[in-house]
Amino acid sequence: MYSPSYNRLEDRAELLEFMRANSFALLVTGTGGALQASHLPVMVKEHDGKLSLDMHMARNNPQWQEFFDDEVMVVFSGPHAYVSPRWYEEQERVPTWNYAAVHAYGIPGVIDESKLKHENQRRLVAMLDPQWLPRFDALRPEYVERMLAGIVNFEIAITRLETRWKLSQNRSRREQELISAELEKSPDSAERALAELTRKHLSGN
């Protein structure tokens, strides 16, 4: 991903928070052949300073059959919005689009053991729907086994990350503040979230 140095995020805690807050991600495979992509929920894990992604997809989805020793990419997308030249202090400006995104790379490993698959799905339910967790635990084992047989669980140990927080950091602090003020007026919650993110990363100019 093209990312000038002033757009890269170095704060690991903020990076983790972002990935977990935007955990419906895009898995891209096929670096050596036909490209495939799936939109999937992700659990981001950190252990001994290393990051990994727990994911699953339908067994009928042919994409998992591309998991050999090839690197895959998982795209986490955050708030984004059009930025109008009308918002700048200087009049000689052109439109742009601001956003935040993370590209995570690694080699996936398929998890075949039923017990581990069940534990992964239980953690996902606990994260997304804790109120339903007791009902999940009460499901008949035969039904659970049938459902688990219909999915493929896999883990990706992250080998590298690319980040881009494109928040007009190449403009003056004043112009960033003007952009934030306009985005804050929007009825769109994503645009208001981008305003908040921009204020968090105001340049020093």
Side-chain angles (χ1 to χ4, degrees):
M1 172 167 55
Y2 169 66
S3 185
S5 58
Y6 53 80
N7 284 159
R8 295 174 199 153
L9 181 69
E10 305 296 341
D11 186 317
R12 187 178 180 86
E14 183 177 352
L15 174 63
L16 275 171
E17 181 184 7
F18 175 88
M19 293 169 71
R20 286 168 174 159
N22 298 281
S23 59
F24 189 66
L26 179 68
L27 171 71
V28 181
T29 60
T31 53
L35 290 173
Q36 295 192 63
S38 295
H39 301 263
L40 304 168
V42 185
M43 284 187 292
V44 182
K45 299 193 302 185
E46 184 179 27
H47 182 68
D48 291 337
K50 296 181 180 179
L51 298 179
S52 63
L53 308 177
D54 270 349
M55 305 177 70
H56 74 279
M57 65 173 59
R59 186 168 291 276
N60 288 336
N61 184 337
Q63 188 179 14
W64 70 271
Q65 297 176 35
E66 300 291 325
F67 295 170
F68 299 111
D69 293 322
D70 293 334
E71 188 177 63
V72 302
M73 177 174 67
V74 181
V75 179
F76 296 81
S77 299
H80 59 90
Y82 171 79
V83 176
S84 172
R86 295 179 290 106
W87 302 346
Y88 290 110
E89 207 162 39
E90 293 187 26
Q91 296 304 303
E92 198 169 52
R93 288 281 188 254
V94 292
T96 192
W97 204 282
N98 283 358
Y99 61 91
V102 172
H103 291 185
Y105 299 85
I107 297 173
V110 173
I111 299 169
D112 288 319
E113 188 181 336
S114 180
K115 181 175 182 292
L116 294 178
K117 291 174 68 173
H118 183 267
E119 289 172 356
N120 281 352
Q121 297 309 112
R122 190 181 190 279
R123 282 195 295 269
L124 185 63
V125 171
M127 179 178 73
L128 298 176
D129 196 3
Q131 288 181 307
W132 187 69
L133 188 60
R135 295 286 300 275
F136 175 82
D137 290 337
L139 292 172
R140 289 182 299 109
E142 299 82 4
Y143 175 77
V144 171
E145 283 300 315
R146 193 164 68 249
M147 293 297 100
L148 290 176
I151 64 173
V152 173
N153 277 87
F154 54 97
E155 182 178 44
I156 302 171
I158 296 176
T159 54
R160 61 191 174 99
L161 291 167
E162 294 176 349
T163 61
R164 190 166 192 195
W165 263 227
K166 185 177 178 293
L167 306 169
S168 298
Q169 297 99 320
N170 58 327
R171 302 301 180 194
S172 69
R173 183 186 182 96
R174 170 64 178 159
E175 289 197 327
Q176 275 187 291
E177 289 172 341
L178 290 171
I179 291 167
S180 296
E182 292 296 332
L183 291 172
E184 282 171 349
K185 299 175 185 176
S186 173
D188 188 317
S189 60
E191 293 189 3
R192 296 196 303 273
L194 186 65
E196 182 179 352
L197 195 62
T198 302
R199 289 198 179 279
K200 187 174 182 179
H201 291 274
L202 291 173
S203 67
N205 298 332

